[in-house]
Amino acid sequence: MSFRIDPRAPLTGEVRRIAREEIDRAVAYLDAARDNPEKALHAARRRIKALRALLCLVRPGDEAFCRAENDRFRDVARSIAGPRQATALIETVDRLIADYPDHADSAGLAGIRAMLVRYRASVVYGAIGLAATLDAAVAECRAGAAAFEALHLPDHPEDAADVLAEGALATLRRARKALKQSSESGQAEDFHELRKAVKTHAAHLSLLRRLWPSPVKPRREQADLLGESLGELHDVFIMRALIDAREAPFDGPEPKLLVKLLKRSEKALRKLCLAAAEELFEDKPRRTVRRLAKKCRTDLGEAVAMPEPEGTPGE
């Protein structure tokens, strides 16, 4: 199956199907993380983010359920975040080496990278109890899967269209608010909020690609690129915060040249992200969602009115 809502099927069944598939994938990656934690944990977190985006989209249909399950899977993602953050630090240094090759040696980036690799090994394989963490994460995922079997959403075309439109609108408004705050204050937490909203919106584009009123593929590509840039900026913020706080692995003397390169990278990424976000969210959210709601009502209504072709099994 696929990560998209089929307008020919009842909304409740589609959401349960997608949730079940995403949870199964997350559990498979968590099990694989016992042997290959760096890559598998990152993949598991991506599936959990996709699941949380689904919950965000249909939240207007059952506020209490979606809030509770979002909290559940947010906590699961946080429990396995340590190794991923360690990898993100390494990737940030790799980007600095690629972007500023003339300064890599003087800043000692190769040595810093080696130190971060050793730190990641201690985080993943050290005393944090990776096996126990994974066991707990898998158990919570399976409990979440069972909970989804009790979910009931509005399946009538008019009501289902309203749920999807309201869910998409909430994310678009969140993105516009975060963009405004990022432009005005420039605080790391505002850019982080923008990043989360962009990632959620990108997932919504996938879920609604058969219902979105405009060409979805170019907008999804635009959102994905912006999400990657915001992710890089987030990693820079994290590294700078660790250095400023003298937290592990930067609990020694301040690496001044590294900080200088991080500031240069941050400045360039801020400018890039703000410009890209302004373009992506230039339309007013209400106008966009009005078109979405209209198309949802039309397509969902036609799907209900159109009988299944004789002899063709349902999908």
Side-chain angles (χ1 to χ4, degrees):
M1 302 298 284
S2 60
F3 187 72
R4 61 179 163 184
I5 293 171
D6 187 342
R8 297 170 297 177
L11 182 60
T12 297
E14 280 297 275
V15 171
R16 288 183 184 177
R17 173 188 65 78
I18 295 169
R20 184 167 55 249
E21 291 173 359
E22 293 305 308
I23 293 171
D24 286 347
R25 289 169 181 154
V27 168
Y29 284 124
L30 289 169
D31 286 335
R34 301 176 194 279
D35 298 319
N36 184 10
E38 292 88 356
K39 291 184 178 180
L41 287 177
H42 181 46
R45 280 170 55 82
R46 287 173 63 90
R47 302 289 26 106
I48 292 171
K49 286 179 181 179
L51 178 63
R52 292 179 65 198
L54 173 67
L55 287 164
C56 180
L57 181 62
V58 300
R59 186 167 179 166
D62 191 331
E63 183 81 19
F65 176 89
C66 292
R67 185 189 306 113
E69 291 309 305
N70 179 70
D71 290 348
R72 180 203 302 274
F73 286 100
R74 177 203 62 204
D75 292 344
V76 171
R78 286 177 177 174
S79 73
I80 59 174
R84 174 55 200 162
Q85 178 174 300
T87 297
L89 296 176
I90 296 170
E91 292 172 349
T92 299
V93 172
D94 288 341
R95 286 192 292 270
L96 293 176
I97 292 173
D99 293 342
Y100 308 106
D102 295 339
H103 301 279
D105 290 340
S106 59
L109 295 185
I112 291 172
R113 188 187 192 284
M115 177 267 291
L116 292 173
V117 170
R118 293 192 296 271
Y119 170 71
R120 181 176 64 182
S122 70
V123 169
V124 174
Y125 299 109
I128 64 170
L130 179 62
T133 298
L134 293 174
D135 288 343
V138 168
E140 278 300 301
C141 285
R142 288 177 174 155
F148 265 97
E149 295 307 310
L151 172 65
H152 291 281
L153 295 167
D155 287 324
H156 186 277
E158 288 279 339
D159 298 330
D162 287 342
V163 167
L164 297 175
E166 289 174 22
L169 176 61
T171 295
L172 288 170
R173 284 177 168 167
R174 177 185 173 195
R176 285 281 292 254
K177 180 181 179 181
L179 172 57
K180 184 175 184 292
Q181 292 177 331
S182 298
S183 301
E184 294 176 352
S185 73
Q187 296 297 312
E189 55 266 29
D190 294 325
F191 277 98
H192 186 46
E193 281 301 311
L194 178 58
R195 178 194 179 211
K196 290 190 291 185
V198 168
K199 290 284 190 179
T200 301
H201 177 58
H204 288 177
L205 291 172
S206 290
L207 288 164
L208 298 170
R209 57 186 154 181
R210 297 186 62 174
L211 295 165
W212 197 263
S214 59
V216 174
K217 186 175 180 180
R219 184 175 180 88
R220 176 61 200 265
E221 291 174 350
Q222 189 179 8
D224 285 342
L225 288 173
L226 175 56
E228 289 177 8
S229 296
L230 285 165
E232 293 177 8
L233 179 59
H234 177 69
D235 294 342
V236 170
F237 283 138
I238 292 295
M239 184 174 283
R240 287 197 59 191
L242 291 173
I243 293 172
D244 291 343
R246 297 292 198 274
E247 292 185 16
F250 298 102
D251 46 8
E254 179 182 286
K256 294 183 178 180
L257 291 178
L258 172 61
V259 171
K260 184 177 180 180
L261 294 180
L262 287 170
K263 289 180 178 179
R264 289 177 61 181
S265 180
E266 178 186 323
K267 182 178 180 180
L269 285 168
R270 282 174 179 269
K271 183 177 180 180
L272 173 66
C273 290
L274 288 174
E278 287 283 359
E279 182 179 355
L280 182 63
F281 300 113
E282 61 181 348
D283 285 345
K284 292 183 178 180
R286 175 60 69 180
R287 183 186 307 157
T288 299
V289 172
R290 192 179 296 119
R291 296 196 302 268
L292 170 63
K294 181 179 179 181
K295 191 170 191 303
C296 282
R297 290 189 184 98
T298 299
D299 290 5
L300 293 172
E302 288 179 352
V304 170
M306 185 180 300
E308 192 83 19
E310 188 175 347
T312 302
E315 295 183 3

